[in-house]
Amino acid sequence: MTVMQQAYNVYEDRCPTRLVLDRLADKWALLILDRLEGGPVRFNHIRRDIKGISQKVLAQTLRKLERDGLISRTIFPTVPVTVEYALMPLGRTLTDTVSALAHWAETNMDAIFTAQRAYDEAHSV
Amino acid sequence: MTVMQQAYNVYEDRCPTRLVLDRLADKWALLILDRLEGGPVRFNHIRRDIKGISQKVLAQTLRKLERDGLISRTIFPTVPVTVEYALMPLGRTLTDTVSALAHWAETNMDAIFTAQRAYDEAHSV
DNA sequence: GCTAGATAGTTTCCAATAGATACCAAGGAG
DNA sequence: CTCCTTGGTATCTATTGGAAACTATCTAGC
């Protein structure tokens, strides 16, 4: 089923679906959602697991996902303070699709790299 | 099936799957792939359909998708010249997942906007 | 002939974003 | 007293994104 057959047209500017898709189409958000699938995780734990993400971007992305109601943020008054992030029911309905995208990437990366080499060779000469 | 159970770990920096996921996690790329599902489309046709995309970003994104082997670019020596973009078989294997993401966005956007209002109210006071 | 319009881009400039790094407060361990 | 942890924020710079103008080629209209 394509999007055009729906009540909303995702190709339209100002389409609310676009606002949601813009948010979802973010590599860090997808990786974080996938990482949370196994259960609640702390801030620095995510930071250490997802190599290459900066503290600033991790904090920003977690805030956005929390605002969207996809994940929850729970503070435990330990010393030092512990903050746990977990998937909300709404976020859980998304993880199948996110995993499917990650799985597609892994399955097809060799074909993509082959295509890239062919393209570069054809366009360098 | 989570990514962690695969041979590659998508959370690792330098993981080839991450390179592919980074490319896919782009709102314009996803919209273009979805738009091409119905058959070949010309440059300016895509530009007019996908409201808000600039010529520069459309050209860049199409080039990347072509380099990845997801879409084809065919030039017809008409006057003025016609350039048609179409899904390659590799790109076609991806459209189900892309459509699923767009469909999820549309189904759940009301829940997300409700969550956003609740978050903003709780954090503005 | 001159101008307008279509094709598919490239170029230029500025604003917004991403990344790296440093810093903060509150303690516990040594 | 100093270093380590927690979960961030502040600052600065590099990269990217978006808006607009410019390119080239040919057709149609006046």
Side-chain angles (χ1 to χ4, degrees):
Chain A
M1 192 193 307
T2 70
V3 173
M4 290 192 77
Q5 297 168 327
Q6 308 292 317
Y8 289 96
N9 184 352
V10 78
Y11 303 128
E12 283 295 326
D13 222 354
R14 314 281 172 213
C15 166
T17 316
R18 269 269 283 268
L19 295 175
V20 176
L21 195 62
D22 290 359
R23 168 69 37 84
L24 257 45
D26 170 43
K27 63 172 177 176
W28 298 126
L30 294 179
L31 285 170
I32 290 170
L33 286 172
D34 197 78
R35 182 62 192 82
L36 291 183
E37 205 180 359
V41 192
R42 285 181 299 101
F43 182 90
N44 276 333
H45 199 159
I46 302 175
R47 189 187 151 208
R48 276 189 292 268
D49 279 1
I50 300 182
K51 302 287 195 301
I53 194 169
S54 71
Q55 284 185 317
K56 190 185 78 172
V57 174
L58 176 56
Q60 282 176 351
T61 308
L62 286 170
R63 210 74 82 220
K64 288 176 184 171
L65 292 174
E66 184 198 358
R67 178 169 181 263
D68 289 346
L70 298 175
I71 65 174
S72 64
R73 179 174 182 271
T74 312
I75 305 173
F76 298 94
T78 55
V79 167
V81 64
T82 300
V83 178
E84 229 177 49
Y85 293 92
L87 281 179
M88 295 282 279
L90 184 60
R92 197 163 288 284
T93 65
L94 183 58
T95 53
D96 277 352
T97 307
V98 171
S99 293
L101 202 62
H103 188 242
W104 186 96
E106 182 165 6
T107 305
N108 295 282
M109 59 176 195
D110 286 335
I112 286 178
F113 293 141
T114 301
Q116 288 180 351
R117 277 191 300 273
Y119 181 96
D120 292 345
E121 209 159 313
H123 290 254
S124 65
V125 189
Chain B
M1 191 194 307
T2 70
V3 174
M4 288 193 77
Q5 297 167 328
Q6 308 291 318
Y8 290 96
N9 182 353
V10 78
Y11 305 127
E12 282 295 327
D13 223 354
R14 313 281 172 215
C15 167
T17 315
R18 272 268 283 265
L19 296 175
V20 175
L21 196 62
D22 290 359
R23 168 70 37 83
L24 259 44
D26 170 42
K27 63 172 175 175
W28 297 126
L30 294 179
L31 285 170
I32 290 170
L33 286 172
D34 197 77
R35 181 63 192 82
L36 291 182
E37 205 181 358
V41 191
R42 286 181 299 99
F43 182 90
N44 275 335
H45 200 156
I46 302 175
R47 189 188 150 207
R48 277 189 292 266
D49 280 0
I50 301 183
K51 303 286 195 302
I53 193 168
S54 71
Q55 284 185 316
K56 189 184 79 171
V57 173
L58 176 56
Q60 281 176 351
T61 308
L62 286 169
R63 210 76 81 222
K64 287 177 186 172
L65 292 173
E66 185 198 358
R67 178 168 180 263
D68 289 346
L70 298 175
I71 66 174
S72 64
R73 179 175 182 271
T74 312
I75 304 172
F76 298 94
T78 55
V79 166
V81 66
T82 300
V83 179
E84 230 177 48
Y85 293 91
L87 282 179
M88 295 283 278
L90 183 60
R92 197 162 286 283
T93 65
L94 183 58
T95 53
D96 277 352
T97 306
V98 172
S99 293
L101 202 61
H103 189 244
W104 186 96
E106 182 163 7
T107 305
N108 296 282
M109 59 174 193
D110 286 335
I112 286 177
F113 293 141
T114 301
Q116 288 179 353
R117 276 192 299 274
Y119 181 94
D120 291 345
E121 209 160 314
H123 291 254
S124 65
V125 188

